[in-house]
Amino acid sequence: MDWLDEIKWDADGLVPVIAQEQGSGDVLMFAWMNRDAVARTAELGQAVYWSRSRGKLWHKGEESGHVQQVHSIRMDCDNDVLLLTITQHGHEPGIACHTGRHSCFFQRLENGRWSSVEPVLKDPATIYKR
């Protein structure tokens, strides 16, 4: 897996990853991957991230069922950011955010305040088994 050696990992062995929806071009989320997560993502064709808060691999959708099918993995010109082109499965429209929204980028700065500009598509309490 020499291709993994070309990625510039940060001091914690992580690389930032952006997940972009194939059809709409919407940026759905930002997360981190370690070497194992990138390798598993390429192997499975589904997004596997590194959860910094839990300190373990996180197969997107393992609890919620909102799996990300990966169509392509791209690397930026500095080799230190990855871009996944994905299809978000598990709900229509796809839910990528743990808040039950389509995108994690649902807050917009308007007149000096952050406003939620995307609706909650499904109550997170019904999605996650906490």
Side-chain angles (χ1 to χ4, degrees), residues 6-22:
E6 295 182 42
I7 298 171
K8 289 184 184 172
W9 307 98
D10 73 6
D12 295 319
L14 302 174
V15 64
V17 181
I18 299 164
Q20 183 178 34
E21 191 171 46
Q22 179 175 276

PDB file of all heavy atoms in Angstrom, residues 6-22:
ATOM      1  N   GLU A   6       2.158   8.263   0.489  1.00  0.00           N
ATOM      2  CA  GLU A   6       2.186   9.566  -0.173  1.00  0.00           C
ATOM      3  C   GLU A   6       1.336  10.608   0.547  1.00  0.00           C
ATOM      4  O   GLU A   6       1.463  11.803   0.294  1.00  0.00           O
ATOM      5  CB  GLU A   6       1.744   9.421  -1.630  1.00  0.00           C
ATOM      6  CG  GLU A   6       2.712   8.576  -2.431  1.00  0.00           C
ATOM      7  CD  GLU A   6       2.319   8.448  -3.885  1.00  0.00           C
ATOM      8  OE1 GLU A   6       1.896   9.465  -4.479  1.00  0.00           O
ATOM      9  OE2 GLU A   6       2.422   7.332  -4.417  1.00  0.00           O
ATOM     10  N   ILE A   7       0.476  10.167   1.448  1.00  0.00           N
ATOM     11  CA  ILE A   7      -0.350  11.095   2.222  1.00  0.00           C
ATOM     12  C   ILE A   7       0.505  11.720   3.313  1.00  0.00           C
ATOM     13  O   ILE A   7       1.276  11.041   3.982  1.00  0.00           O
ATOM     14  CB  ILE A   7      -1.558  10.361   2.851  1.00  0.00           C
ATOM     15  CG1 ILE A   7      -2.458   9.781   1.756  1.00  0.00           C
ATOM     16  CG2 ILE A   7      -2.346  11.299   3.772  1.00  0.00           C
ATOM     17  CD1 ILE A   7      -3.560   8.859   2.260  1.00  0.00           C
ATOM     18  N   LYS A   8       0.373  13.038   3.487  1.00  0.00           N
ATOM     19  CA  LYS A   8       1.084  13.737   4.564  1.00  0.00           C
ATOM     20  C   LYS A   8       0.200  13.709   5.810  1.00  0.00           C
ATOM     21  O   LYS A   8      -0.759  14.475   5.922  1.00  0.00           O
ATOM     22  CB  LYS A   8       1.405  15.176   4.158  1.00  0.00           C
ATOM     23  CG  LYS A   8       2.481  15.263   3.109  1.00  0.00           C
ATOM     24  CD  LYS A   8       2.841  16.702   2.812  1.00  0.00           C
ATOM     25  CE  LYS A   8       3.845  16.786   1.686  1.00  0.00           C
ATOM     26  NZ  LYS A   8       4.064  18.175   1.265  1.00  0.00           N
ATOM     27  N   TRP A   9       0.522  12.815   6.711  1.00  0.00           N
ATOM     28  CA  TRP A   9      -0.221  12.651   7.958  1.00  0.00           C
ATOM     29  C   TRP A   9       0.218  13.728   8.938  1.00  0.00           C
ATOM     30  O   TRP A   9       1.383  14.133   8.941  1.00  0.00           O
ATOM     31  CB  TRP A   9       0.052  11.265   8.533  1.00  0.00           C
ATOM     32  CG  TRP A   9      -0.197  10.172   7.545  1.00  0.00           C
ATOM     33  CD1 TRP A   9       0.738   9.538   6.772  1.00  0.00           C
ATOM     34  CD2 TRP A   9      -1.460   9.611   7.176  1.00  0.00           C
ATOM     35  NE1 TRP A   9       0.130   8.613   5.960  1.00  0.00           N
ATOM     36  CE2 TRP A   9      -1.210   8.629   6.183  1.00  0.00           C
ATOM     37  CE3 TRP A   9      -2.768   9.829   7.592  1.00  0.00           C
ATOM     38  CZ2 TRP A   9      -2.229   7.878   5.604  1.00  0.00           C
ATOM     39  CZ3 TRP A   9      -3.779   9.079   7.021  1.00  0.00           C
ATOM     40  CH2 TRP A   9      -3.515   8.117   6.035  1.00  0.00           C
ATOM     41  N   ASP A  10      -0.702  14.191   9.792  1.00  0.00           N
ATOM     42  CA  ASP A  10      -0.317  15.179  10.803  1.00  0.00           C
ATOM     43  C   ASP A  10       0.435  14.477  11.938  1.00  0.00           C
ATOM     44  O   ASP A  10       0.692  13.262  11.882  1.00  0.00           O
ATOM     45  CB  ASP A  10      -1.535  15.978  11.290  1.00  0.00           C
ATOM     46  CG  ASP A  10      -2.484  15.209  12.194  1.00  0.00           C
ATOM     47  OD1 ASP A  10      -2.191  14.057  12.576  1.00  0.00           O
ATOM     48  OD2 ASP A  10      -3.547  15.771  12.534  1.00  0.00           O
ATOM     49  N   ALA A  11       0.796  15.223  12.978  1.00  0.00           N
ATOM     50  CA  ALA A  11       1.582  14.683  14.091  1.00  0.00           C
ATOM     51  C   ALA A  11       0.869  13.544  14.810  1.00  0.00           C
ATOM     52  O   ALA A  11       1.518  12.703  15.437  1.00  0.00           O
ATOM     53  CB  ALA A  11       1.915  15.806  15.072  1.00  0.00           C
ATOM     54  N   ASP A  12      -0.462  13.496  14.717  1.00  0.00           N
ATOM     55  CA  ASP A  12      -1.248  12.432  15.349  1.00  0.00           C
ATOM     56  C   ASP A  12      -1.533  11.274  14.397  1.00  0.00           C
ATOM     57  O   ASP A  12      -2.300  10.371  14.726  1.00  0.00           O
ATOM     58  CB  ASP A  12      -2.573  13.001  15.871  1.00  0.00           C
ATOM     59  CG  ASP A  12      -2.361  14.018  16.979  1.00  0.00           C
ATOM     60  OD1 ASP A  12      -1.488  13.785  17.837  1.00  0.00           O
ATOM     61  OD2 ASP A  12      -3.059  15.053  16.976  1.00  0.00           O
ATOM     62  N   GLY A  13      -0.943  11.332  13.193  1.00  0.00           N
ATOM     63  CA  GLY A  13      -1.163  10.270  12.209  1.00  0.00           C
ATOM     64  C   GLY A  13      -2.513  10.360  11.527  1.00  0.00           C
ATOM     65  O   GLY A  13      -3.051   9.364  11.064  1.00  0.00           O
ATOM     66  N   LEU A  14      -3.057  11.577  11.444  1.00  0.00           N
ATOM     67  CA  LEU A  14      -4.378  11.799  10.850  1.00  0.00           C
ATOM     68  C   LEU A  14      -4.286  12.697   9.632  1.00  0.00           C
ATOM     69  O   LEU A  14      -3.337  13.466   9.473  1.00  0.00           O
ATOM     70  CB  LEU A  14      -5.315  12.438  11.885  1.00  0.00           C
ATOM     71  CG  LEU A  14      -5.528  11.670  13.187  1.00  0.00           C
ATOM     72  CD1 LEU A  14      -6.366  12.494  14.155  1.00  0.00           C
ATOM     73  CD2 LEU A  14      -6.181  10.326  12.920  1.00  0.00           C
ATOM     74  N   VAL A  15      -5.331  12.615   8.794  1.00  0.00           N
ATOM     75  CA  VAL A  15      -5.470  13.490   7.640  1.00  0.00           C
ATOM     76  C   VAL A  15      -6.924  13.989   7.624  1.00  0.00           C
ATOM     77  O   VAL A  15      -7.847  13.218   7.897  1.00  0.00           O
ATOM     78  CB  VAL A  15      -5.106  12.767   6.316  1.00  0.00           C
ATOM     79  CG1 VAL A  15      -6.039  11.620   5.998  1.00  0.00           C
ATOM     80  CG2 VAL A  15      -5.021  13.744   5.151  1.00  0.00           C
ATOM     81  N   PRO A  16      -7.140  15.298   7.369  1.00  0.00           N
ATOM     82  CA  PRO A  16      -8.509  15.798   7.269  1.00  0.00           C
ATOM     83  C   PRO A  16      -9.176  15.305   5.991  1.00  0.00           C
ATOM     84  O   PRO A  16      -8.533  15.178   4.947  1.00  0.00           O
ATOM     85  CB  PRO A  16      -8.352  17.328   7.254  1.00  0.00           C
ATOM     86  CG  PRO A  16      -6.931  17.596   6.971  1.00  0.00           C
ATOM     87  CD  PRO A  16      -6.146  16.355   7.233  1.00  0.00           C
ATOM     88  N   VAL A  17     -10.491  15.044   6.104  1.00  0.00           N
ATOM     89  CA  VAL A  17     -11.249  14.483   4.982  1.00  0.00           C
ATOM     90  C   VAL A  17     -12.561  15.250   4.826  1.00  0.00           C
ATOM     91  O   VAL A  17     -13.281  15.481   5.803  1.00  0.00           O
ATOM     92  CB  VAL A  17     -11.565  12.992   5.230  1.00  0.00           C
ATOM     93  CG1 VAL A  17     -12.331  12.409   4.059  1.00  0.00           C
ATOM     94  CG2 VAL A  17     -10.295  12.215   5.497  1.00  0.00           C
ATOM     95  N   ILE A  18     -12.867  15.611   3.607  1.00  0.00           N
ATOM     96  CA  ILE A  18     -14.130  16.265   3.273  1.00  0.00           C
ATOM     97  C   ILE A  18     -14.976  15.258   2.497  1.00  0.00           C
ATOM     98  O   ILE A  18     -14.479  14.614   1.571  1.00  0.00           O
ATOM     99  CB  ILE A  18     -13.889  17.522   2.413  1.00  0.00           C
ATOM    100  CG1 ILE A  18     -13.026  18.532   3.175  1.00  0.00           C
ATOM    101  CG2 ILE A  18     -15.213  18.146   1.955  1.00  0.00           C
ATOM    102  CD1 ILE A  18     -12.423  19.604   2.307  1.00  0.00           C
ATOM    103  N   ALA A  19     -16.242  15.123   2.881  1.00  0.00           N
ATOM    104  CA  ALA A  19     -17.177  14.249   2.164  1.00  0.00           C
ATOM    105  C   ALA A  19     -18.129  15.121   1.366  1.00  0.00           C
ATOM    106  O   ALA A  19     -18.864  15.936   1.926  1.00  0.00           O
ATOM    107  CB  ALA A  19     -17.952  13.368   3.136  1.00  0.00           C
ATOM    108  N   GLN A  20     -18.102  14.954   0.051  1.00  0.00           N
ATOM    109  CA  GLN A  20     -18.926  15.747  -0.868  1.00  0.00           C
ATOM    110  C   GLN A  20     -19.893  14.819  -1.591  1.00  0.00           C
ATOM    111  O   GLN A  20     -19.486  13.781  -2.120  1.00  0.00           O
ATOM    112  CB  GLN A  20     -18.034  16.471  -1.865  1.00  0.00           C
ATOM    113  CG  GLN A  20     -18.791  17.365  -2.819  1.00  0.00           C
ATOM    114  CD  GLN A  20     -17.852  18.106  -3.757  1.00  0.00           C
ATOM    115  OE1 GLN A  20     -16.816  17.583  -4.159  1.00  0.00           O
ATOM    116  NE2 GLN A  20     -18.221  19.325  -4.100  1.00  0.00           N
ATOM    117  N   GLU A  21     -21.157  15.211  -1.623  1.00  0.00           N
ATOM    118  CA  GLU A  21     -22.181  14.410  -2.279  1.00  0.00           C
ATOM    119  C   GLU A  21     -21.997  14.446  -3.787  1.00  0.00           C
ATOM    120  O   GLU A  21     -21.879  15.521  -4.380  1.00  0.00           O
ATOM    121  CB  GLU A  21     -23.558  14.944  -1.892  1.00  0.00           C
ATOM    122  CG  GLU A  21     -24.698  14.059  -2.288  1.00  0.00           C
ATOM    123  CD  GLU A  21     -25.997  14.539  -1.680  1.00  0.00           C
ATOM    124  OE1 GLU A  21     -26.278  15.763  -1.731  1.00  0.00           O
ATOM    125  OE2 GLU A  21     -26.717  13.689  -1.148  1.00  0.00           O
ATOM    126  N   GLN A  22     -21.996  13.268  -4.390  1.00  0.00           N
ATOM    127  CA  GLN A  22     -21.751  13.161  -5.825  1.00  0.00           C
ATOM    128  C   GLN A  22     -22.792  13.914  -6.656  1.00  0.00           C
ATOM    129  O   GLN A  22     -22.445  14.690  -7.537  1.00  0.00           O
ATOM    130  CB  GLN A  22     -21.725  11.695  -6.256  1.00  0.00           C
ATOM    131  CG  GLN A  22     -21.490  11.522  -7.744  1.00  0.00           C
ATOM    132  CD  GLN A  22     -21.336  10.077  -8.133  1.00  0.00           C
ATOM    133  OE1 GLN A  22     -20.255   9.534  -8.023  1.00  0.00           O
ATOM    134  NE2 GLN A  22     -22.410   9.449  -8.580  1.00  0.00           N
TER     135      GLN A  22
END
